[in-house]
Structures are given as structure tokens and as C-alpha cells.
Amino acid sequence: MFILQAIFWFLFTIVIYVVLNRIYQIMPYPFLIPILTGTALLVIILSTMNISYDTYFSGGRVIDAFLGPAIVALAYPLYKQRELLKRYKKELLSTVLYASLLGILSGYWLTMLFGFEEVITSSFVPKNVTTPVAMEVARMIGGEPALAVIFVMIAGIGGAVTGPWVLKQFNISNFLGIGMALGAASHAIGTAKALEYGQEEAAVSSIGMSLCALCVSIIAPILINWL
């Protein structure tokens, strides 16, 4: 019974993604990205039918297991553009450092401004890095990994939805600017969005996401303890 339940929810999630992704391809509006519409639809269905998250996750766990390999697979466009990335290493490294500091400090100051508890602040700080890293960083600085996951999703979806508009408003069309903006601010979700712009943008976004994760994991514990 459990196996059938897991298979059902696994296939159900896949079907929802495929259908919503097809809709997004036909109508490529930012607010129709599958990860946003799919998440919203699943929440509505589970809430309406009074289905527990544990029941759904019996199948969702299979998809969750592919998170690590999916992130590693993003290295492929990076490999293809390795010579191009070597050429701009100074620009990339300086941007990664700036983006990491901005992500940490913006999360810290925003939660302090609204008077949130320390556990929420510590969970919010690593919002701009990919989920596995954010969970570990949150744990190191006294946050709650489960809360960190929520903030990572908000940052990722928010960046993918509003990113194209922001880039357009500031007239950013260079592949370095597009790639670093999406990868450094919205990690894997932003990198998937960058792939829509092209291989070069995806490659830059991939390295931005990876290096920001490394940078934040080193800087965040030191900076938060100092603050």
C-alpha cells in the first residue's frame, strides 16, 4: 500500500510539472514558471483534500533525492564555457564576494529591523544559497534548517519571477550580468531561469551559485557572530 501511494504521488507531481511547464512554454510569463505554479497548485490540492505532507512526501521523497544530482548537472554548461569563465575570473570572484556579503547583511538587517527572533534571523541569513548549504549554514549559526528551506524557496522563486523585470529596468543585457544576478541571488532556481537566456548565462549563473554557496558558508558564521 505504501509503495503504491509513493508511486502515485511521485507520478502526480511529475504530471503537474509537465503540464505547467508546457503552459509556461506557450505563455512564458514570469509568474507562470512551473516551480511557482506547481508549488501553489500542490498546496491547494493537499489543503483542500486534507492530505498530510507526510503522505505526499512518500512520493515527493523520490524527487527530493534528485536535488543533489540536479545541482551537480548544472556543471555541464560551466564545463562547456570553461575558457570563457577563466577569462573573466576577476570580475566573477569580486561579484561573488559582494553578492555573498550583500545577501548575508540584507537578511540580517531586514530581520533585525522588524524585530524577529534570533532563530528566524539565523535561518534567513543564508537565503541566497542552495538548499543543502543553506540548511547547514543555518544550523551552524543557530537557525532552524526547516525555516531556512522556506526562505531559500522564497528567494529562489522571487528572483526567478522578478529577475527578468529587474534586468530589463536596469538595461542589463550582458551575459555576465544576467548570469551572476540570477545565480548569486536565486541559486539553482535562478540558474534554471538563466538557462532560458542561453548557455553562457547558465554557465556564469552556475559558477555564481556554487561560489556563493562556498563563500557564504565561510563568511556567514564569522560575520553573524561578530555582529
Side-chain angles (χ1 to χ4, degrees), residues 201-216:
E201 288 84 352
V204 174
S205 183
S206 180
I207 194 172
M209 175 189 70
S210 302
L211 291 181
C212 277
L214 176 62
C215 196
V216 169

Side-chain angles (χ1 to χ4, degrees), residues 40-138:
L41 183 58
L42 280 172
V43 169
I44 292 172
I45 291 173
L46 296 180
S47 300
T48 303
M49 300 182 67
N50 198 28
I51 298 171
S52 69
Y53 177 76
D54 289 337
T55 299
Y56 166 74
F57 199 63
S58 62
R61 185 179 289 106
V62 179
I63 299 174
D64 184 66
F66 286 98
L67 177 61
I71 293 173
V72 174
L74 292 172
Y76 179 67
L78 174 61
Y79 172 77
K80 291 186 66 175
Q81 302 294 338
R82 59 192 182 281
E83 295 301 324
L84 187 65
L85 295 173
K86 288 179 182 178
R87 192 185 316 161
Y88 295 102
K89 61 182 179 181
K90 290 183 180 179
E91 291 85 349
L92 294 174
L93 291 175
S94 60
T95 303
V96 163
L97 179 59
Y98 174 77
S100 298
L101 288 172
L102 183 62
I104 294 170
L105 293 175
S106 64
Y108 178 81
W109 285 329
L110 186 63
T111 52
M112 293 299 290
L113 178 65
F114 288 97
F116 288 114
E117 297 179 6
E118 185 177 343
V119 65
I120 296 179
T121 298
S122 299
S123 303
F124 193 59
V125 162
K127 65 187 181 305
N128 296 109
V129 298
T130 190
T131 304
V133 178
M135 292 175 67
E136 189 58 35
V137 171

Side-chain angles (χ1 to χ4, degrees), residues 20 35 39 55 65 67 91 96 117 124 154 160 164-165 176 181 199 206 218-219:
L20 294 178
I35 192 168
T39 300
T55 299
L67 177 61
E91 291 85 349
V96 163
E117 297 179 6
F124 193 59
I154 293 173
W165 179 82
L176 287 173
Q199 287 289 326
S206 180
I218 296 173
I219 295 176

